[in-house]
């Protein structure tokens, strides 16, 4: 009884804090978070000598952290590529914490293993990946890229008779890596961790939307005499553009090559009949990365890696110990497919989100975000100062502002972004796109509405207009 009361009261109070936060999320300013020093003072102080009451700790945490909590999960956060959390996914994530299952192996948690197996089957079917690709649930697309490229390294070196996991890279026969000028930074981060060298990559030029140019790829690989990896991308973080995957697959066909597709957010296009053509050819990929915490709108952290050669996948990341009790054949040990051993049972929130949305719900969420991105582009483009730099093919919009008083568009664009961030109606970040400063808009949240887009577009245009108080700020 005492234990029951202890949980009950603590969880009731926590639930109250959580609901208060979530219900206020869409009205919360999406501005710059509090200053580091001030937050340190609010939340910090010395480690208490004696422990404090758990209810008090939770209440103090909720209150003191509040100014430092950014409304990234809310409907008007358009920075980076940021999803929110579907209510059902948050609920499943709570259960995941409560159950405290180790996602490591079958005997630790049969349910965690089965949830991941079901998510694998559902996603393979929905994305139309065909065959029996193996899948691991990682902390995000970075580790998914890492895992995929580790599998690629294994498979290509196995072709030339080298066991890289046993003998390392020091005296290994060479392999090459081909990426594009626009490959995501995490591809290079993965290569640097895998000993394949960030700067040894052959970088293929892209077109004006950031798509890998197939003619340039053909030329680049014509002279390669070793096995090689090609890193293609479904969804450029700036423009949302897709590399021509079918053509790329055609170019490497018959070569000793591994085609990896980083579809962190772009692969979700495959869930919609309207957008599927963008990823045509992805079924030919040797490995594929996709995020859960971006467009599937599950809580951090969640990413998926799919690998066609399951033996290479397993060989690259698995490990063994005398006490592991591996599950044979029919079952699943999650540790065979990710670099981690003990970890969060990430399959549960993904399972809940997929099941609650269903195929139609997922397609609808993806299509809605794309429509809203186009709506944002249209709302902004009515202002002659605004230039939309990309073809809005997905959920990303790149915007640049010309200075009405004739100043530098780069500086003015940065100034508008600063004003928008201070204004707090919505949040957007900046980027450098082909030498030009630009504002980057990503619509990836399940809860964003047309009204959110309209009020945000109006706020952005207000920030680009001559500022009433600009001169009187003396
Ligand atoms: C976001 C992103 C990544 C990195 O994903 P994380 O989930 O942050 O690790 C990799 N590639 C692309 C294309 C992305 O958009």
């Amino acid at each position: 009884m005492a234990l029951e009361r202890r949980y009950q009261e603590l969880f009731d109070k926590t639930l109250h804090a959580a609901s208060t936060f979530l219900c206020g999320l869409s009205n919360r300013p999406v501005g710059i978070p509090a200053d580091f020093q001030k937050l340190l003072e609010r939340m910090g102080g010395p480690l208490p000598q004696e422990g404090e009451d758990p209810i008090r700790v939770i209440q103090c945490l909720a209150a003191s952290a509040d100014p430092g909590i950014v409304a990234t999960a809310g409907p008007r956060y358009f920075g980076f590529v940021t999803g929110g959390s579907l209510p059902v996914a948050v609920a499943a994530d709570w259960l995941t914490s409560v159950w405290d299952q180790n996602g490591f192996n079958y005997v630790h948690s049969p349910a965690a293993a089965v949830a991941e197996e079901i998510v694998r089957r559902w996603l393979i079917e929905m994305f139309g990946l065909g065959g029996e690709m193996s899948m691991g649930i990682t902390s995000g697309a970075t580790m998914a890229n890492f895992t995929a490229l580790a599998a690629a390294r294994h498979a290509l070196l196995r072709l030339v008779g080298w066991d890289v996991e046993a003998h390392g890279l020091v005296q290994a026969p060479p392999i090459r890596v081909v990426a594009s000028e626009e490959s995501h930074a995490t591809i290079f981060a993965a290569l640097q961790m895998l000993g394949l060298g960030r700067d040894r990559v052959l970088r293929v030029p892209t077109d004006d939307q950031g798509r890998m140019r197939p003619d340039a790829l053909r030329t680049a690989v014509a002279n390669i005499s070793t096995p090689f990896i090609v890193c293609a991308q479904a969804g450029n973080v700036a423009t949302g553009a897709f590399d021509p995957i079918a053509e790329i697959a055609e170019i490497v066909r018959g070569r000793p090559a591994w085609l990896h597709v980083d579809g962190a957010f772009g692969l979700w296009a495959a869930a919609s009949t309207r957008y599927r053509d963008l990823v045509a050819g992805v079924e030919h990929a040797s490995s594929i990365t996709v995020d859960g915490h971006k467009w599937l709108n599950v809580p951090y952290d969640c990413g998926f890696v799919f690998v066609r050669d399951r033996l290479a996948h397993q060989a690259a990341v698995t490990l063994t110990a005398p006490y592991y009790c591996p599950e044979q054949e029919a079952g699943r040990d999650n540790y065979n497919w990710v670099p981690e051993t003990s970890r969060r049972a990430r399959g549960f929130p993904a399972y809940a989100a997929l099941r609650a949305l269903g195929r139609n719900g997922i397609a609808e969420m993806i299509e809605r975000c794309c429509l809203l991105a186009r709506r944002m582009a249209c709302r902004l483009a009515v202002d002659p100062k605004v230039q939309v730099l990309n073809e809005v093919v997905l959920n990303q919009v790149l915007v640049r502002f010309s200075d009405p008083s004739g100043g530098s568009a780069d500086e003015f664009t940065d100034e508008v972004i600063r004003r928008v961030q201070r204004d707090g109606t919505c949040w957007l970040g900046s980027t450098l796109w082909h030498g030009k400063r630009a504002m980057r808009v990503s619509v990836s949240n399940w809860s964003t509405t047309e009204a959110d887009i309209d009020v945000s577009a109006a706020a952005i245009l207000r920030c680009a207009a001559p500022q009433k108080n600009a001169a009187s700020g003396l």
Side-chain angles (χ1 to χ4, degrees), residues 142-448:
T142 304
M143 288 315 289
N145 281 336
F146 174 86
T147 305
L149 294 171
R153 186 181 70 161
H154 172 90
L156 295 183
L157 285 167
R158 187 184 56 199
L159 274 182
V160 291
W162 187 265
D163 179 347
V164 67
E165 286 75 31
H167 305 301
L169 272 178
V170 175
Q171 290 173 320
I175 58 174
R176 291 306 308 261
V177 181
V178 182
S180 91
E181 300 277 11
E182 293 283 339
S183 289
H184 196 266
T186 56
I187 289 288
F188 299 97
L191 293 170
Q192 87 191 11
M193 293 187 279
L194 287 164
L196 291 171
R198 204 174 52 212
D199 294 345
R200 290 171 49 94
V201 177
L202 218 65
R203 299 187 73 159
V204 177
T206 55
D207 66 13
D208 65 334
Q209 297 298 307
R211 294 174 290 229
M212 185 190 280
R213 276 178 34 208
D215 59 313
L217 174 68
R218 193 170 279 118
T219 313
V221 302
N223 297 321
I224 298 181
S225 54
T226 64
F228 60 95
I229 303 170
V230 173
C231 303
Q233 183 165 258
N236 178 294
V237 277
T239 62
F242 290 70
D243 288 351
I245 300 168
E247 250 179 293
I248 292 171
E250 189 56 46
I251 291 167
V252 304
R253 181 162 303 144
R255 302 286 305 268
W258 180 287
L259 174 57
H260 173 62
V261 175
D262 177 359
F265 63 97
L267 191 71
W268 291 100
S272 149
T273 47
R274 199 175 302 172
Y275 292 95
R276 252 229 71 94
D277 284 352
L278 292 168
V279 293
V282 75
E283 65 281 2
H284 301 302
S286 313
S287 57
I288 302 166
T289 284
V290 62
D291 253 323
H293 53 221
K294 286 180 180 171
W295 225 349
L296 180 58
N297 279 264
V298 296
Y300 295 103
D301 47 17
C302 179
F304 310 97
V305 57
F306 297 92
V307 179
R308 193 157 307 282
D309 179 344
R310 48 195 304 136
L311 291 178
H313 188 175
Q314 184 170 351
V317 292
T318 196
L319 71 170
T320 184
Y323 52 88
Y324 269 18
C325 356
E327 179 61 25
Q328 301 301 333
E329 290 305 312
R332 177 185 170 96
D333 281 323
N334 294 328
Y335 73 83
N336 283 322
W337 317 110
V338 293
E340 304 148 290
T341 45
S342 298
R343 68 182 176 91
R344 187 169 185 78
R346 299 189 183 105
F348 296 126
Y351 169 92
L354 291 170
R355 186 165 168 174
L357 290 168
R359 288 184 79 126
N360 290 343
I362 295 165
E364 195 272 328
M365 178 171 75
I366 299 307
E367 289 167 10
R368 176 159 29 93
C369 288
C370 295
L371 272 177
L372 291 173
R374 246 178 295 152
R375 186 183 184 96
M376 176 71 98
C378 293
R379 289 281 181 278
L380 293 176
V382 296
D383 188 323
K385 288 191 295 300
V386 170
Q387 192 191 356
V388 175
L389 297 177
N390 65 321
E391 294 164 17
V392 184
V393 293
L394 200 70
N395 62 333
Q396 306 289 116
V397 189
L398 268 187
V399 185
R400 183 168 162 89
F401 300 88
S402 54
D403 185 348
S405 57
S408 136
D410 282 338
E411 281 169 28
F412 187 63
T413 298
D414 282 337
E415 173 59 22
V416 173
I417 293 167
R418 274 193 298 273
R419 288 177 195 163
V420 172
Q421 291 177 351
R422 271 199 305 269
D423 170 81
T425 305
C426 61
W427 200 95
L428 299 132
S430 65
T431 191
L432 185 68
W433 173 251
H434 293 188
K436 294 174 169 170
R437 302 296 305 166
M439 184 175 88
R440 201 157 72 106
V441 185
S442 176
V443 185
S444 315
N445 189 298
W446 68 280
S447 68
T448 304

